[in-house]
Amino acid sequence: MKMKILLTISFLAVVFCSIAQVSPKLQTKLDKQAGEMEQKVIEWRRHIHQYPELSNQETKTAAYIAEHLKSLGLKVQTGVAKTGVVALLETGKPGPVIALRADIDALPVTERNSLPFASKEKAIYNGQETGVMHACGHDSHVAILMAVAEILSNNKSDLKGLIKFIFQPAEEGAPNGEEGGADLMVKEGVLDLPKVDVIFGLHIQSMTKLGDIAYRPAGMMAASDWFSIKVKGKQAHGAAPWMGIDPIVVSAQIINGLQTIISRQTELTKEAAVITVGRIQAGIRENIIPEEANFAGTIRTLDKDMQEKIHEKIKLMATKIAESAGATAEVSIVKKTPITYNDPALTEKVIPSLKLAAGEDHVREVHAVTGAEDFAFYQEKIPGFFFFVGAMPADIDPAKAPSHHTPDFMIDERGFLTGLKAMLDVTTGYMFMKQKK
């Protein structure tokens, strides 16, 4: 028992030393206030969950956030990147400029559970009526950052530097034909005036153990690119396919061939990569071979060189398979989201803060994931750190936990306190860290 106590004291001493001059008094205050805010975070999240809004349409959500931030006496800017909200906390003392980001948009998903605050909202998405749901946890991110803003504002006299709170719309992607998300926020100068030194963000996870924090230095989440391929053949009667060139068969051959780019031509021991076809359209009648077929999908990569090679091979494979059948293939690839890249030096600095927030046994390094996150656009400009907070309901079999972006998505609200403490601790830990001159 004595040995265990000594080891615990030793660990805390190392943590406090590594996050430099965060005073024990301030740390105690922040922990206490985080606990006191837990119920408020849950209430905010439930309200936002019940009234979700799609990307670039988050007007009511933005107004709800802005009202709270203004009540704290912060300088608040609305209408950033269409519906974003940015607030600035000035301590009046020299120090770093730290940005904290939460995403605010929901998804075109119809909620399927019996929660008393389940969404009943509907909207038109790509010409179709759909339910709208916070099926990825953005409602939680908003509520946590609202609480971080309140706690840090209440302790302004103990802080230094400036803190910029970024509530970003359209993380899930702007509607067709529109700009949005982190890319547009960067273009509109969210990292300037004052110039931001570092940025932090979190993501709640429905399939990560409750109370755990997961991170990875360098590439943590994949780049997301979208591709579309138009195959042109020759129309014919379905009873006489030899009189035409079937673009559907050619498309099927291309789709199967694309998977060999991953399985046979990509060095998967270096990094993971994925090519997925998610949409295919061709024909109008059962007995007519159409002139044209179109299909589209996504490419996920964690290495820039691999990304470029895969793009080249998709174009080569599609055009040559089509050519071999007498058809043509037009390939379009659009880079959507860069790799979510955690600056390794920054990651090393903030790990002690994560352990302080969640406990040493609840912080772990994980493998990269092939999901994408537009937080990456900030990280292209300045050092940034992004991490996962576990909120898998304790009564759910981990193998059966509903994934993000699904109607059954579910999180345990007890995970919010871990996220709140982590955001507070990485912020103050970095704030009082001895910076190299």
Side-chain angles (χ1 to χ4, degrees):
M1 179 61 76
K2 287 182 179 179
M3 180 59 72
K4 188 175 181 181
I5 292 169
L6 286 172
L7 287 172
T8 303
I9 292 170
S10 242
F11 164 68
L12 291 174
V14 169
V15 168
F16 278 111
C17 179
S18 60
I19 59 176
Q21 293 115 14
V22 178
S23 71
K25 182 180 179 182
L26 175 58
Q27 189 65 52
T28 300
K29 284 170 64 178
L30 295 177
D31 287 345
K32 181 175 182 293
Q33 290 175 28
E36 292 169 348
M37 287 286 291
E38 183 178 13
Q39 190 55 43
K40 193 179 283 189
V41 174
I42 291 171
E43 290 170 5
W44 286 333
R45 179 260 172 166
R46 290 183 178 184
H47 173 86
I48 297 164
H49 187 91
Q50 193 168 2
Y51 302 105
E53 296 171 296
L54 295 176
S55 301
N56 279 359
Q57 299 174 27
E58 313 93 328
T59 53
K60 293 178 182 177
T61 305
Y64 187 74
I65 295 164
E67 181 182 9
H68 174 67
L69 297 175
K70 288 175 182 176
S71 75
L72 302 176
L74 301 176
K75 291 184 177 179
V76 179
Q77 183 182 3
T78 58
V80 184
K82 300 187 184 295
T83 53
V85 182
V86 178
L88 189 64
L89 172 59
E90 299 173 314
T91 68
K93 287 173 273 189
V97 181
I98 301 169
L100 307 176
R101 175 271 206 168
D103 36 14
I104 70 175
D105 55 328
L107 286 157
V109 173
T110 302
E111 187 155 10
R112 185 171 57 199
N113 61 53
S114 57
L115 292 174
F117 52 91
S119 168
K120 302 293 190 295
E121 299 295 303
K122 294 187 180 299
I124 302 298
Y125 183 80
N126 282 347
Q128 299 182 48
E129 185 178 69
T130 177
V132 183
M133 177 188 176
H134 273 291
C136 199
H138 295 187
D139 50 347
S140 311
H141 308 163
V142 173
I144 288 169
L145 193 55
M146 286 171 65
V148 170
E150 181 167 332
I151 291 171
L152 293 179
S153 296
N154 290 342
N155 292 278
K156 175 180 171 179
S157 61
D158 295 320
L159 307 179
K160 65 178 184 176
L162 296 95
I163 304 167
K164 187 176 281 191
F165 303 98
I166 299 173
F167 292 86
Q168 176 212 305
E171 189 280 327
E172 300 292 356
N176 290 334
E178 295 184 24
E179 283 190 283
D183 189 23
L184 185 57
M185 294 206 93
V186 170
K187 288 178 183 177
E188 293 191 2
V190 75
L191 299 179
D192 304 311
L193 300 174
K195 182 173 174 54
V196 176
D197 297 311
V198 68
I199 186 166
F200 298 115
L202 61 73
H203 204 300
I204 207 84
Q205 289 291 100
S206 68
M207 295 180 288
T208 298
K209 185 179 176 183
L210 179 67
D212 280 4
I213 291 177
Y215 73 94
R216 185 177 190 261
M220 182 166 176
M221 299 183 74
S224 171
D225 304 320
W226 289 6
F227 70 90
S228 60
I229 299 177
K230 179 189 291 186
V231 177
K232 282 198 169 184
K234 181 181 177 183
Q235 191 158 321
H237 196 295
W242 53 87
M243 298 182 69
I245 298 171
D246 192 336
I248 295 176
V249 171
V250 174
S251 295
Q253 291 174 330
I254 294 172
I255 291 168
N256 284 333
L258 293 180
Q259 297 311 312
T260 67
I261 294 175
I262 300 299
S263 67
R264 289 294 180 269
Q265 302 177 53
T266 300
E267 190 179 353
L268 296 179
T269 55
K270 182 179 180 182
E271 286 290 2
V274 173
I275 299 174
T276 293
V277 174
R279 178 171 58 84
I280 183 166
Q281 296 171 314
I284 195 169
R285 184 179 166 92
E286 289 82 355
N287 65 344
I288 298 175
I289 293 172
E291 184 175 274
E292 183 176 302
N294 295 275
F295 60 95
T298 186
I299 308 158
R300 301 300 170 102
T301 50
L302 286 149
D303 178 271
K304 288 185 178 181
D305 289 338
M306 290 171 68
Q307 179 185 34
E308 296 303 325
K309 287 177 182 177
I310 288 172
H311 288 191
E312 291 170 8
K313 288 176 179 180
I314 287 174
K315 292 173 183 176
L316 181 65
M317 180 169 284
T319 54
K320 293 304 180 183
I321 288 176
E323 185 182 332
S324 71
T328 61
E330 298 174 15
V331 181
S332 173
I333 299 177
V334 178
K335 291 184 176 181
K336 299 290 285 187
T337 307
I339 297 166
T340 306
Y341 186 86
N342 283 336
D343 181 270
L346 177 62
T347 301
E348 186 177 353
K349 289 178 181 178
V350 302
I351 290 172
S353 295
L354 297 180
K355 291 180 177 179
L356 183 63
E360 186 172 22
D361 294 338
H362 293 279
V363 178
R364 55 193 173 89
E365 184 175 334
V366 293
H367 294 295
V369 298
T370 48
E373 202 356 293
D374 79 352
F375 187 82
F377 284 107
Y378 305 116
Q379 293 173 311
E380 284 195 319
K381 302 296 182 183
I382 60 172
F385 178 73
F386 193 75
F387 60 97
F388 297 146
V389 175
M392 182 176 64
D395 59 346
I396 290 181
D397 179 350
K400 297 178 181 179
S403 71
H404 294 236
H405 290 219
T406 65
D408 301 306
F409 174 75
M410 180 74 67
I411 52 177
D412 192 322
E413 293 172 327
R414 289 177 295 175
F416 299 168
L417 182 58
T418 303
L420 173 55
K421 291 173 69 175
M423 284 295 269
L424 288 169
D425 288 349
V426 296
T427 303
T428 55
Y430 185 85
M431 179 184 294
F432 290 103
M433 194 175 293
K434 290 180 180 177
Q435 306 298 328
K436 292 182 179 179
K437 295 183 179 180

